Amino acid sequence: MNEQMGVQSTGRQAPNAIWVLRLVLSLIGFTAVIAQVMLMRELLVVFYGNELALGVMLANWLLWTALGAGLLGQWTMRVIHPRKLVASLQTLLAFALPVTLLAVRASKDFFHSLPGEILGPVPMFLTSCATLSILCLISGGLFAAGSRLFRDMTGAPIATATGAVYLLEAAGSGVGGLVAGLVLVRQSNPFEITALLGVLNLLAAWAVLAPVSARRRVLGAGFAVIAALLLIGAYELQPLSLARLWHGFNLVAAQNSVYGSLAVVETGESRSLFENGLIVMTVPDPAAAEEAVHFALLEHPQPRRLLLIGGGVNGSVAEALSHPSLERIDYVELDPKIFDVAARYFPAAWRKIRSDSRVHIHSMDGRRFLKSTPDSFDVIIVNLPDPHTAQLNRFYTEEFYREAAAKLRPAGILSFQVTSSENYISQELADFLRCLQHTLRQVFPEVTAIPGDTVHFIAAAKPGTLTSDPQELLLRLRARHLHPQYVGENFLPFRMSPDRMRDLQLQIAALPSTP
């Protein structure tokens, strides 16, 4: 009786009631898209930034949403009170959002047998399938319930009502994508986003029930209490869930950027920066900083212009500046948030970069910088993590090497390093290193590889530029009055000993099958 009276009363106020209903139904798409953006970014941290996981996650999202719409689709046609069903699902959705986020951050403990292990396709599927299930089922069910409610309030045929709800949901999705990308990801942490979406869905639930409720004030007060609990919970759950996500690490700070999730962890006297779960740099790390730049700069007889793509905050820029012939360093990072994090959490290293007028900082994609700059360089150093993701892999391709070669001066040098092994190189690692060297040789006439726990590839724009003689490099080291702790008098002769250099080349020489 109350439901029938409610329909009649809304019929007398049809324009206002229908507009409210349209806003409520648009919220379905608005909520779903923002939740999808947020949760996929979180799952990328779990999957160490592997973009291939995005397809797996989207497949599970669509699968569970379709199941929710299908399972509730038939049942909603027999429901007596569709208002109550829609309001109940929206209330459940408000709680499902933070619960799903908690499940995603806790999933690392369940599916990662070893710290730092990168998951394969099956664990990726199982992780996203389990964590996204409840939220997507509710979201899909809301579409079916909303179609039934729209039919009842407008008197339209069910096919027309379903099409209208689909359009409203799509419009809400479009707005949600803009709000997520332009505002929420930049300004809010994930639990603040879940709290905002939860409050909006509770308001929508109240707007759906209020016209047929005899106790509107009591209903409103109840929803207000639930909304307050969501807001308080968001404040409390953010640090707790981050501690779970970074279990085993001393987490100092975590924040979002448009390019990913950044985290700073502390181990003893050093701090490390992670982006989407992959380590970007450790500060201080003098060995890595010295190796990143000195091998390449010593190979050049008199470097004046250096382009450093990534990783400069770990001390690489400061080490490069010790070469007296350098007149300018262009340091490029894709994510501007890295500079903000460096200024706050690595202040000593950041001051060394900012205090020297020879250093010019660019916040843009490294490949885009190469294409757009009119300048040429004596040395280009790629100081990025290994190509675990498609975003990083772009800097290890033949196309990138050609772009770099076009910006090198006649005696110019390109250098990068990848993780290897000091003593034993497995078949898989050998294939990987072989592919990198073979690709380099498609562009550069002279290529050398320096062995160690990181293999340093150095390529020259013209033959006869590079030397494999450590004594020659030591002469340049002394002439430049450099005093590094690691790339020095004892280290260079060992690292570049003829037998080690020859052994590495034998293991990574190109085969007919090498891609």
Side-chain angles (χ1 to χ4, degrees):
M1 175 64 77
N2 287 339
E3 184 74 14
Q4 292 172 354
M5 291 175 63
V7 172
Q8 291 170 1
S9 64
T10 55
R12 290 194 295 270
Q13 302 173 3
N16 290 336
I18 296 303
W19 273 109
V20 170
L21 178 62
R22 285 173 176 160
L23 288 173
V24 169
L25 295 175
S26 298
L27 184 63
I28 299 173
F30 183 85
T31 301
V33 164
I34 294 177
Q36 188 180 88
V37 170
M38 175 192 67
L39 291 171
M40 286 196 172
R41 287 167 60 90
E42 290 291 318
L43 281 166
L44 274 177
V45 177
V46 176
F47 301 144
Y48 293 97
N50 189 338
E51 298 95 342
L52 296 177
L54 291 171
V56 177
M57 291 184 273
L58 278 170
N60 279 313
W61 189 284
L62 294 172
L63 171 66
W64 284 116
T65 303
L67 281 174
L71 292 173
L72 280 177
Q74 295 297 321
W75 184 58
T76 54
M77 302 309 297
R78 300 189 296 272
V79 169
I80 300 174
H81 306 296
R83 285 179 180 271
K84 292 181 180 178
L85 177 60
V86 170
S88 298
L89 288 173
Q90 287 183 308
T91 304
L92 286 173
L93 188 64
F95 284 100
L97 286 162
V99 170
T100 302
L101 181 54
L102 278 174
V104 166
R105 289 184 171 179
S107 65
K108 248 188 175 182
D109 287 347
F110 291 98
F111 292 96
H112 287 66
S113 57
L114 295 172
E117 177 189 7
I118 296 178
L119 298 183
V122 173
M124 283 181 184
F125 177 83
L126 294 175
T127 302
S128 56
C129 184
T131 54
L132 299 176
S133 57
I134 296 174
L135 177 67
C136 293
L137 282 171
I138 296 171
S139 181
L142 261 173
F143 176 81
S147 299
R148 164 67 193 280
L149 181 58
F150 192 87
R151 186 200 73 169
D152 286 3
M153 291 188 65
T154 62
I158 187 61
T160 303
T162 302
V165 172
Y166 183 84
L167 288 174
L168 290 167
E169 186 183 34
S173 299
V175 175
L178 290 173
V179 171
L182 298 178
V183 181
L184 295 180
V185 166
R186 301 167 185 262
Q187 305 296 333
S188 306
N189 70 54
F191 274 100
E192 290 171 342
I193 296 173
T194 64
L196 171 64
L197 294 176
V199 170
L200 289 176
N201 277 274
L202 290 173
L203 284 172
W206 178 84
V208 168
L209 286 180
V212 296
S213 175
R215 299 179 178 179
R216 296 183 186 181
R217 292 182 179 178
V218 175
L219 185 68
F223 279 126
V225 169
I226 296 174
L229 291 174
L230 283 174
L231 292 171
I232 295 171
Y235 178 78
E236 295 292 336
L237 289 173
Q238 172 70 0
L240 292 175
S241 62
L242 282 174
R244 183 79 175 182
L245 179 65
W246 293 96
H247 179 69
F249 295 89
N250 179 21
L251 183 66
V252 176
Q255 59 182 279
N256 280 337
S257 80
V258 292
Y259 296 102
S261 299
L262 299 173
V264 179
V265 301
E266 192 171 64
T267 306
E269 296 182 355
S270 66
R271 288 180 172 180
S272 299
L273 173 64
F274 289 79
E275 185 165 22
N276 288 335
L278 286 175
I279 188 166
V280 176
M281 66 185 75
T282 298
V283 182
D285 189 356
E290 290 180 14
E291 289 186 27
V293 297
H294 286 319
F295 283 126
L297 291 174
L298 288 172
E299 285 283 358
H300 195 285
Q302 195 173 26
R304 297 184 183 278
R305 289 288 303 271
L306 167 65
L307 170 60
L308 179 65
I309 301 177
V313 179
N314 75 336
S316 299
V317 169
E319 289 296 329
L321 289 170
S322 64
H323 289 257
S325 62
L326 269 182
E327 298 171 355
R328 178 180 172 121
I329 298 177
D330 289 281
Y331 170 35
V332 182
E333 287 281 6
L334 172 64
D335 194 341
K337 278 283 186 181
I338 288 180
F339 299 135
D340 297 336
V341 169
R344 184 169 183 180
Y345 299 103
F346 309 102
W350 183 243
R351 280 195 297 271
K352 290 181 180 179
I353 295 174
R354 298 300 295 160
S355 62
D356 198 303
S357 60
R358 291 175 292 171
V359 181
H360 298 261
I361 295 173
H362 309 272
S363 176
M364 63 189 302
D365 177 59
R367 289 190 65 167
R368 182 183 177 190
F369 178 83
L370 265 180
K371 290 178 180 179
S372 60
T373 181
D375 299 326
S376 59
F377 305 93
D378 295 301
V379 179
I380 297 175
I381 297 175
V382 178
N383 193 22
L384 295 171
D386 292 352
H388 291 302
T389 70
Q391 168 70 13
L392 291 169
N393 187 70
R394 300 180 309 118
F395 294 92
Y396 299 85
T397 63
E398 181 181 345
E399 292 78 9
F400 170 72
Y401 298 151
R402 294 196 183 279
E403 293 167 4
K407 296 295 182 179
L408 285 174
R409 293 174 176 177
I413 288 172
L414 171 71
S415 173
F416 64 87
Q417 75 275 345
V418 292
T419 304
S420 182
S421 173
E422 184 69 51
N423 298 310
Y424 171 71
I425 295 180
S426 66
Q427 184 60 49
E428 183 180 3
L429 177 58
D431 289 340
F432 171 58
L433 298 174
R434 186 179 294 120
C435 176
L436 289 173
Q437 179 168 264
H438 185 54
T439 308
L440 269 175
R441 291 189 183 277
Q442 305 306 302
V443 180
F444 294 95
E446 189 173 29
V447 176
T448 190
I450 300 175
D453 55 2
T454 56
V455 168
H456 290 259
F457 286 98
I458 303 175
K462 72 174 184 179
T465 302
L466 304 179
T467 177
S468 297
D469 182 4
Q471 297 304 320
E472 174 64 26
L473 298 184
L474 285 175
L475 288 175
R476 294 177 183 176
L477 188 80
R478 296 172 192 133
R480 297 176 192 180
H481 305 288
L482 303 178
H483 304 285
Q485 298 179 54
Y486 297 92
V487 185
E489 299 286 342
N490 298 320
F491 179 86
L492 273 172
F494 165 74
R495 188 73 175 264
M496 299 180 66
S497 61
D499 57 329
R500 285 168 56 85
M501 298 281 286
R502 184 169 52 252
D503 182 60
L504 177 63
Q505 284 303 318
L506 288 174
Q507 295 190 68
I508 67 173
L511 303 174
S513 60
T514 300

